[in-house]
Amino acid sequence: MRKAISDKMFVLGIDGLDPRLTRRFVAEGKMPNIQYFIERGAQREDLVMLGGHPTVTPPMWTTLATGAYANVHGITCFWRKGDALDTIAYNLDSRLCKAEQLWNVFAEAGKKTLVWHWPGSSWPPSSDSPNLAVVDGLSPGSVGIGVCKLDDEYLAGASEAIQSVTFLPDFAAENSAPCVISGLDAEDMDDQNKTDLYQQAKGSSMRSILLDKTEGVIGSMQDTKVSLAQSPITPAKGWTAAPEGAKEMTLLLANGLIQRKGLLIKNAAGIYDSLALYKTKKDTEPIAILPLGIMVHDIVDDAINKKEEHCLATRSMKLLEMKPDGSELKMYISSAMDIQALEHVCHPHSLYQEICAVAGYPPATAMFGNHDRQMVIDCMLDVWKKCSDYQSTALNYLMSEKGYEIVFSHYHIVDLVEHHFIRFLTDKGQNKQPEEVYFSFMEELYKETDRYIGQFCHLLDEGWTVFIVSDHAQVCSAHDMQAMGDQNGVSIVLMEELGLTAVKRDEQGNRLHEIDWEHTLAIAQRGNHIYVNLEGRDEHGIVKPENQYEVEEEIMTRLYGYRDKKTGKRVIALALRNKDAVLLGMGGPECGDIIYWMAEGYNFDHCDCLSTTLGEKDTSVSPIFIAAGQGLKQAFTTDRIIRQVDLVPTMAILGGVRMPKQCEGAPIYQILAEQF
């Protein structure tokens, strides 16, 4: 072990943080804390880190942990190929990773190491070292969302004009989240040697045939549905502790299965401006009091888990609107988070109680918004502010009070929130607001991210080295998205048009979610992978092995020849054989026979495109790199190309430990204070 240049290092990972947008907001004075790190640190002028492939969460966070590209560590998309060409299986499982993670190296070298919600080959823990602690990592989104989330967020309305208490599932057009896996069985998480986490998520293999743009990730980005609870408002009767003039309503929780009673309360001026929630009318103490316009967090109450058992959960709620006369109101209710389930994905388990003691229970994550400013700003970002404070409080405590010296942290705010509106930054016929309204959402998102980052500025004066990195960013594409390159299944539309994939039809000629294998030469599944339907390898193979090379050539020729009917432009940027994809960090047994990337302007937010892709309104897919603190130059810029695989060796050389066994990157010598 070499002498360490820095004894304490903190990876401040922000999923989806865009260097191009960040530079813009820094120049406009909207991200002062990022500006502080830049002035104290060393990075490229453009803040860009050259990203690996594919440009999606699990592979790239694994690259940032191992210093190896996807073809080496083996995590080649959000999902992996299942047991057939038309199936996929969950990919967030450390046991699928073929490369050594840097946190194991540090822990085994005697450094007290923490891995916090890192969605790339972190759970279950892959080292037995007592120096290693791991919190979650099962799913992107927020801490604990994979095991704690019990039901979805929704809206509630009450009015004197409503006649009965009702719960309307999937009633209001809104948005959903594409990159959150929830409903994992917390009780099965204890035995780390036996539990298949991806089986808990979606089963060992999930068939997913995407016939058009309304399905898969692209489909989930369209306006979907949000549930609505309704209640009459009437004069308060039969209460033990109702104030004079109060009115009552009923709030339905747990998808309508649990009832809570609410009192609409007047202020001293006689204006109704708050709502008190009680378990029953007989209770004298409310569960929560909701002042108008203020998000109230940490409301602990009953919920129902997926086994249909009652449990305790925490929620956030906000009284969005209330008429002064108390005749009508509108509420936001977050998803419920089981207050105990996170313990099962904390290693050691005792760490959970330590976190709860200082930061509380893991909060819900808001996952809708889309076109509505009230939903995006007043609900979604308001809930994320709680997530920011929860995470920063916990991390600062663990670093300052519990002695963790090496910390790998991830925060998913930018990626998850942006998914709901980034495609509307330019109007392609779907916008419900002017373009500048959507960009104002982006400004508020980046300002909140900067506020979160600012809670770690003090580390630079306490001897820490801090790396601000992202796995990828997202773009607003110039053109309407093609139904190709969907990470969540088998993309049919373009492959069918090219005569490469066929689906079966019913008696009326309607397309079915079933592959016609006899007429299918190839399958495009997940973000970048095309598999030849190969005889002898695949169950329904029709392409003879001796013809595979020529069939691959024909597939690539058709892909390159395809043109968008509106613009006449190509929609495929690049298509490579498996053996050639090593040039871009892909290929190998976990990849398809052909790896392809969508052309700039025709790609989804990210995943299906090259990591150098640019978008509209200063968006890009490139990840960010900013470094500051012990062992680094100050106020320094380099013209070196900084690659994602370079973070790990740079940390290793600063920390005085060996390189992980499969590391492919090189230390970023140019930013180090000490010359080598």
Side-chain angles (χ1 to χ4, degrees):
M1 185 170 175
R2 301 182 305 276
K3 186 180 185 305
I5 300 170
S6 176
D7 293 321
K8 298 181 291 186
M9 282 183 279
F10 178 45
V11 180
L12 185 47
I14 310 290
D15 202 292
L17 190 63
D18 187 338
R20 200 175 177 207
L21 276 172
T22 297
R23 288 184 70 229
R24 171 173 176 166
F25 292 136
V26 166
E28 294 173 355
K30 293 168 182 170
M31 301 187 78
N33 295 308
I34 283 280
Q35 178 71 41
Y36 178 76
F37 276 101
I38 292 171
E39 291 172 352
R40 292 282 299 266
Q43 51 277 314
R44 287 176 54 87
E45 182 72 30
D46 58 11
L47 309 183
V48 167
M49 178 164 57
L50 182 62
H53 299 101
T55 54
V56 72
T57 295
M60 294 302 93
W61 286 112
T62 302
T63 289
L64 288 165
T66 62
Y69 288 116
N71 63 314
V72 172
H73 61 61
I75 309 300
T76 59
C77 196
F78 198 101
W79 303 83
R80 58 192 173 89
K81 186 177 79 67
D83 53 15
L85 290 185
D86 58 345
T87 65
I88 57 176
Y90 202 48
N91 223 10
L92 275 88
D93 188 327
S94 64
R95 292 162 296 182
L96 300 172
C97 180
K98 295 194 236 179
E100 185 180 29
Q101 298 94 335
L102 180 60
W103 49 70
N104 291 347
V105 176
F106 273 118
E108 291 162 12
K111 302 291 284 185
K112 193 169 182 181
T113 304
L114 171 67
V115 184
W116 179 277
H117 191 227
W118 190 279
S121 302
S122 69
W123 188 270
S126 49
S127 170
D128 295 328
S129 171
N131 296 312
L132 180 66
V134 181
V135 176
D136 201 5
L138 271 172
S139 172
S142 64
V143 176
I145 197 167
V147 295
C148 297
K149 184 182 173 210
L150 301 178
D151 46 56
D152 292 328
E153 60 197 321
Y154 62 101
L155 299 174
S159 169
E160 293 177 349
I162 293 173
Q163 298 300 310
S164 61
V165 178
T166 55
F167 189 85
L168 305 171
D170 299 336
F171 178 77
E174 266 301 334
N175 206 350
S176 65
C179 56
V180 172
I181 302 298
S182 61
L184 303 176
D185 193 339
E187 293 184 5
D188 292 337
M189 295 300 168
D190 284 317
D191 190 343
Q192 296 169 1
N193 294 320
K194 295 180 180 178
T195 302
D196 286 328
L197 304 180
Y198 47 82
Q199 289 182 353
Q200 297 297 331
K202 288 293 185 180
S204 59
S205 223
M206 178 181 74
R207 181 161 282 103
S208 180
I209 311 297
L210 311 176
L211 292 180
D212 56 45
K213 297 179 184 180
T214 66
E215 301 174 343
V217 170
I218 294 174
S220 73
M221 290 292 90
Q222 307 304 315
D223 296 352
T224 53
K225 304 292 184 179
V226 168
S227 298
L228 176 65
Q230 290 194 138
S231 168
I233 293 176
T234 60
K237 293 181 181 179
W239 289 77
T240 299
E244 184 179 353
K247 299 182 180 183
E248 68 178 53
M249 56 85 68
T250 299
L251 177 64
L252 296 177
L253 303 175
N255 296 314
L257 299 178
I258 295 175
Q259 284 194 6
R260 291 294 177 252
K261 298 300 182 179
L263 285 176
L264 289 70
I265 300 172
K266 294 188 289 188
N267 61 22
I271 295 173
Y272 289 86
D273 65 352
S274 64
L275 177 69
L277 293 175
Y278 295 79
K279 281 195 173 184
T280 70
K281 291 184 178 184
K282 295 180 180 180
D283 293 314
T284 57
E285 294 296 324
I287 302 166
I289 297 177
L290 310 181
L292 181 61
I294 297 175
M295 186 74 73
V296 178
H297 303 288
D298 303 316
I299 301 172
V300 177
D301 195 6
D302 291 340
I304 297 175
N305 62 28
K306 68 175 185 175
K307 295 181 180 180
E308 299 184 357
E309 300 168 341
H310 279 253
C311 64
L312 285 178
T314 182
R315 296 178 177 89
S316 297
M317 298 184 189
K318 189 171 188 177
L319 183 59
L320 296 168
E321 300 170 9
M322 179 182 278
K323 288 191 174 181
D325 63 359
S327 62
E328 189 173 303
L329 65 79
K330 179 181 178 182
M331 293 176 61
Y332 165 83
I333 299 93
S334 77
S335 57
M337 296 284 281
D338 187 326
I339 66 172
Q340 290 297 331
L342 182 64
E343 180 181 1
H344 298 282
V345 286
C346 282
H347 172 79
H349 288 338
S350 59
L351 187 59
Y352 173 69
Q353 296 301 332
E354 295 181 53
I355 295 168
C356 289
V358 296
Y361 300 120
T365 300
M367 295 184 290
F368 71 178
N370 214 343
H371 304 278
D372 191 298
R373 183 175 180 84
Q374 186 181 61
M375 295 298 100
V376 173
I377 305 300
D378 296 341
C379 296
M380 188 155 61
L381 278 181
D382 230 356
V383 170
W384 275 100
K385 288 177 183 178
K386 172 63 177 179
C387 294
S388 298
D389 293 340
Y390 167 82
Q391 182 151 313
S392 60
T393 299
L395 288 171
N396 275 310
Y397 167 77
L398 293 170
M399 289 186 282
S400 65
E401 302 299 325
K402 305 306 291 186
Y404 286 97
E405 304 162 283
I406 307 295
V407 177
F408 294 80
S409 75
H410 155 271
Y411 190 39
H412 213 77
I413 181 172
V414 174
D415 177 272
L416 191 51
V417 177
E418 269 187 4
H419 272 306
H420 300 290
F421 59 76
I422 193 168
R423 64 197 180 282
F424 303 127
L425 294 184
T426 59
D427 192 351
K428 294 179 279 291
Q430 300 174 333
N431 289 18
K432 298 179 182 178
Q433 303 282 357
E435 292 177 6
E436 56 268 21
V437 171
Y438 300 102
F439 199 80
S440 73
F441 298 166
M442 187 72 77
E443 290 182 358
E444 295 301 319
L445 169 62
Y446 269 68
K447 286 194 288 187
E448 171 55 27
T449 304
D450 187 71
R451 188 184 73 86
Y452 168 73
I453 290 170
Q455 297 180 72
F456 303 103
C457 287
H458 66 93
L459 295 176
L460 297 185
D461 295 323
E462 298 169 11
W464 286 79
T465 308
V466 179
F467 297 91
I468 300 174
V469 298
S470 60
D471 53 340
H472 58 76
Q474 298 181 33
V475 293
C476 171
S477 292
H479 308 291
D480 195 17
M481 293 173 290
Q482 300 292 323
M484 181 77 163
D486 197 303
Q487 71 187 40
N488 275 9
V490 175
S491 297
I492 295 295
V493 176
L494 184 55
M495 292 289 284
E496 188 177 41
E497 188 172 342
L498 292 174
L500 298 171
T501 301
V503 295
K504 293 184 178 180
R505 298 176 180 266
D506 63 18
E507 294 178 355
Q508 287 73 42
N510 300 311
R511 296 153 75 235
L512 301 174
H513 288 83
E514 188 176 350
I515 301 297
D516 180 356
W517 294 109
E518 293 182 4
H519 300 94
T520 292
L521 288 174
I523 289 288
Q525 71 144 248
R526 303 178 288 151
N528 307 82
H529 306 267
I530 293 178
Y531 291 86
V532 173
N533 187 21
L534 194 62
E535 184 181 295
R537 181 190 70 181
D538 303 313
E539 181 181 1
H540 305 287
I542 64 171
V543 175
K544 295 186 179 301
E546 61 267 27
N547 296 332
Q548 180 177 357
Y549 187 93
E550 287 304 320
V551 170
E552 289 175 353
E553 183 67 28
E554 178 61 24
I555 292 169
M556 291 187 287
T557 298
R558 295 188 196 183
L559 289 173
Y560 282 130
Y562 185 82
R563 295 293 183 268
D564 176 23
K565 295 175 177 60
K566 292 182 180 178
T567 66
K569 296 181 179 180
R570 63 189 173 93
V571 301
I572 301 295
L574 188 63
L576 297 172
R577 298 181 195 276
N578 185 292
K579 70 179 181 65
D580 301 322
V582 67
L583 296 167
L584 290 173
M586 295 283 276
E590 285 78 25
C591 284
D593 300 311
I594 294 170
I595 316 299
Y596 70 94
W597 289 265
M598 300 301 289
E600 189 171 271
Y602 291 96
N603 52 287
F604 183 57
D605 300 353
H606 64 95
C607 182
D608 59 355
C609 59
L610 292 164
S611 63
T612 50
T613 296
L614 301 179
E616 305 297 293
K617 299 294 176 70
D618 292 323
T619 58
S620 74
V621 172
S622 291
I624 199 169
F625 179 90
I626 300 169
Q630 183 70 27
L632 301 177
K633 295 175 182 177
Q634 292 194 39
F636 178 78
T637 58
T638 179
D639 59 1
R640 167 182 169 158
I641 295 175
I642 298 172
R643 295 171 171 83
Q644 269 183 321
V645 291
D646 296 340
L647 172 67
V648 161
T650 302
M651 292 182 67
I653 202 169
L654 285 169
V657 298
R658 65 174 175 83
M659 302 293 168
K661 294 173 184 176
Q662 289 78 21
C663 180
E664 298 182 273
I668 311 168
Y669 297 106
Q670 294 83 351
I671 70 172
L672 302 179
E674 181 178 335
Q675 291 188 355
F676 287 83

